[in-house]
Amino acid sequence: MKDKFVITIGREYGSGGGEIGRQLSKYFDIPCYDKELLTIVAKESGYCKEYFEKFDEKPLKVLSYFGYDANTSTLPINHQLFLKQFNLIQKLASEKSCIFVGRAADYALRDYDNVVNIFIHADFEFRRKRAIEEHGILSQKSASIVKKIDKERSSYYKYYTDSSWGDAKNYHICLDTGFMGIDEAVRIIIDFIERKYK
């Protein structure tokens, strides 16, 4: 690939967005940042990754204002984490081809002209089954967990971008993995990227 490019992947929980990011990473031999962003931000901030995980892609709650470290910032931890990831996404995208999964990366890179924004979705039952099989979620809790995480991601995206999560207008490609499968979704994205950035 001659040109530098960046892929952002928004995803419904259980739709396979993370798996698609990893497959694209392997195919194009470029880094994929998902939870890896937390590791980098935590290391730079002096917090442990596990601490940040509690706030990752979670909507701001009133009680969050009581969770900040007054020695470093007057912002709640949710905001600190969002801003640190926002700046890191822009920094990494400026340096090299890469892939970002979640974390409103499409919004962080909205002024970049070499970005392809993708949204991965699927029917509820497909996602519920994947939550059990791929994420180890207990069957009896799977439906409520899928709904809960989707609601958190939607609220997070709305809060920080003032746009609707999953709205096709925010993405270049929207793919239904429940309909086509994950491998076919990967093939379609690869074909698009190779045509656009060859």
Side-chain angles (χ1 to χ4, degrees):
M1 301 292 287
K2 178 177 64 176
D3 298 328
K4 184 176 74 172
F5 63 91
V6 177
I7 300 171
T8 74
I9 301 175
R11 75 284 186 232
E12 291 182 330
Y13 183 68
S15 63
E19 173 64 23
I20 288 170
R22 290 186 291 275
Q23 287 194 35
L24 293 172
S25 171
K26 184 175 181 181
Y27 181 86
F28 289 116
D29 192 26
I30 61 175
C32 177
Y33 299 100
D34 189 349
K35 296 283 187 187
E36 294 81 3
L37 286 174
L38 283 180
T39 303
I40 298 170
V41 167
K43 187 175 180 181
E44 291 178 350
S45 305
Y47 288 104
C48 67
K49 177 186 172 186
E50 291 72 23
Y51 179 65
F52 270 152
E53 281 179 341
K54 295 187 296 183
F55 302 96
D56 188 35
E57 289 191 288
K58 300 288 195 305
L60 184 71
K61 297 176 183 176
V62 174
L63 289 177
S64 297
Y65 281 96
F66 300 99
Y68 67 85
D69 181 351
N71 294 322
T72 59
S73 174
T74 57
L75 293 174
I77 290 295
N78 303 61
H79 285 336
Q80 290 184 50
L81 179 57
F82 174 79
L83 291 172
K84 289 176 188 300
Q85 288 189 115
F86 184 94
N87 292 332
L88 180 59
I89 286 167
Q90 291 186 332
K91 177 178 180 290
L92 292 169
S94 298
E95 295 173 349
K96 57 192 173 185
S97 292
C98 53
I99 301 163
F100 297 103
V101 178
R103 290 152 192 91
D106 59 302
Y107 178 76
L109 302 176
R110 64 195 182 282
D111 294 327
Y112 289 57
D113 58 8
N114 65 331
V115 178
V116 176
N117 298 317
I118 298 166
F119 192 79
I120 306 298
H121 62 101
D123 63 89
F124 186 81
E125 190 58 22
F126 174 86
R127 297 188 295 118
R128 189 188 71 79
K129 287 179 179 177
R130 280 197 86 254
I132 296 168
E133 295 164 5
E134 302 295 328
H135 301 286
I137 303 299
L138 293 175
S139 179
Q140 60 267 36
K141 294 183 177 180
S142 58
S144 62
I145 287 176
V146 169
K147 290 175 184 176
K148 176 178 179 285
I149 294 176
D150 276 354
K151 185 177 179 181
E152 288 175 346
R153 289 178 178 174
S154 178
S155 297
Y156 172 90
Y157 191 88
K158 179 68 175 176
Y159 184 86
Y160 286 110
T161 71
D162 199 29
S163 291
S164 297
W165 181 69
D167 186 336
K169 294 192 294 292
N170 297 326
Y171 310 94
H172 301 108
I173 304 171
C174 294
L175 298 172
D176 182 344
T177 49
F179 173 73
M180 68 181 61
I182 289 173
D183 290 343
E184 179 65 9
V186 170
R187 188 198 65 75
I188 289 170
I189 297 167
I190 288 172
D191 183 61
F192 180 84
I193 295 294
E194 288 186 334
R195 288 169 184 267
K196 187 168 178 62
Y197 296 103
K198 60 185 176 183

